[in-house]
Amino acid sequence: MTTGRRALAVLAAPCLLLSGCARTEDRAPSPSAPVPAGSSVQDLVIGDDERTYRIHRPADLPPEPALVLVLHGAGGSARQAEESYGWPALADREGFLVAHPDGMHRTWNAGGGCCGRAAAQDVHDVAFLTAVVDDVARRTNVDMDRVFVTGMSNGGMMSYTLACSTDVVAAIAPVAGTMLGDCADPAPVSVLHLHGTADAVVRMDGEPGERLADVDPPPVDDVVEFWRSVDRCLEPAEVSEDRVRRSVSGCADGRSVELVTVDGAGHQWPGSSSLRPAADPPYPDLDATAEIWRFFAAHPKP
C-alpha cells in the first residue's frame, strides 16, 4: 500500500484563490465573512471545478473548536449526509464545527479505480477537502490539532485516501468503507473503522462486492493491521456486547486504532435516522455518530 503523504498543492482559483465564495441559505455578503451560526453553503473553485460544502456552526461555539468533515457515500450528497447521520445536532450539543462536502457527481475519487465519474475524471478530491479545511480555518479559529474526517462507504474510502495523502487530520472514522490505492508514507493518525459483517457492497473479506466488481480492496482486517503498524500499536484487546465486537489497540503518542463490527449488519451507518441511497437498514442499537465523536474527542494530534 503506497502513497505520498504530502498534501496536494491546492490549485489557484478565481474566487480569491480558494478563500471561497460563501452562500448561506440567505447568501452571505462576503467571501471572507466568518462562518455564520447555523447551516450554510460555501463555494470553492478547484482548478476548473466549482465545488461546494455545507458547514454547520453552533450558536455557542468555543474559542478554538474542533472541525469534523463528514463525507457522503456514492450516490449521496452533503445535504443527504447532513440529514441522515445527525452531526449538526451533535455539534450543537458538544460545541464543534461540522462540514459536509459534496463529492463530484455524487462520488469521491478514492483511488484504486473507485468510484464512478469522480475516479474516471481524476477529480482533485484531496485538494478539495484540504481546501475545505483551509477555508473553514480562515473563517473561524479552528483548532488544527482537532481536525477529523469520517465518511460512509465511498466517503469512508476517501477518508483513508486523505489520511494517506496529507497530514491534515488527527483521526479518521470510515464507516462501511475500505482503503484503496497506494499508501506508502502516511502520517500517523488514530483510526476507528466501523463495519457490518454481512456488508455485501464493501465486503470485509476483500472479495468483490455488489456494484464494486472492478475494485480490488484488501480485507478490512489487513487495513486495520496496516494502521496498527503505522501507529506503532500494542496487540488489540477484544470486547463483545450483543452483536457489537470491538478490537481496540493503544498506540504510540496516545493514538488508537479500533475496529468495531456489527454481526449480521449490512452496508449501513449504525443508528442513522434514514436510509442513504443503496444502503441497508441501519443497525439501531449502536449510535455510530456519537461513537465516532467520542473517539475523535479523545484523539487530537499529540
Side-chain angles (χ1 to χ4, degrees), residues 65-286:
L67 170 63
V68 177
L69 271 62
V70 182
L71 310 182
H72 62 77
S77 68
R79 180 182 287 277
Q80 168 267 316
E82 185 180 61
E83 293 174 350
S84 296
Y85 305 141
W87 282 98
L90 182 60
D92 285 340
R93 293 195 300 271
E94 298 292 335
F96 61 88
L97 294 156
V98 58
H100 292 80
D102 264 309
M104 187 71 74
H105 312 299
R106 295 178 175 262
T107 56
W108 301 102
N109 181 15
C114 190
C115 289
R117 291 173 65 185
Q121 297 176 9
D122 197 22
V123 172
H124 299 291
D125 277 327
V126 170
F128 169 49
L129 296 177
T130 304
V132 169
V133 174
D134 290 345
D135 193 52
V136 177
R138 193 166 20 245
R139 297 165 186 270
T140 62
N141 193 26
V142 172
D143 182 349
M144 297 305 290
D145 288 335
R146 295 193 297 146
V147 175
F148 310 104
V149 61
T150 183
M152 169 68 188
S153 189
N154 180 211
M157 299 172 189
M158 192 66 219
S159 67
Y160 275 125
T161 301
L162 190 64
C164 287
S165 304
T166 78
D167 55 7
V168 170
V169 296
I172 64 173
V175 179
T178 190
M179 189 167 71
L180 300 172
D182 296 333
C183 195
D185 185 27
V189 296
S190 291
V191 177
L192 171 63
H193 187 116
L194 292 91
H195 221 107
T197 63
D199 191 330
V201 177
V202 181
R203 291 177 47 146
M204 288 197 64
D205 60 8
E207 292 298 314
E210 297 174 0
R211 302 185 298 277
L212 292 175
D214 297 330
V215 177
D216 185 26
V220 168
D221 285 344
D222 289 359
V223 173
V224 173
E225 188 58 36
F226 171 80
W227 285 100
R228 286 178 177 144
S229 176
V230 169
D231 289 341
R232 294 181 290 136
C233 301
L234 301 172
E235 288 297 311
E238 307 285 345
V239 179
S240 295
E241 183 178 353
D242 296 327
R243 292 168 56 188
V244 178
R245 180 179 179 181
R246 303 172 189 273
S247 178
V248 180
S249 296
C251 312
D253 300 319
R255 294 185 177 90
S256 181
V257 174
E258 301 185 15
L259 173 62
V260 177
T261 58
V262 182
D263 186 39
H267 194 65
Q268 43 84 55
W269 182 288
S272 172
S273 62
S274 63
L275 288 175
R276 60 164 291 278
D280 294 322
Y283 176 68
D285 296 330
L286 176 66

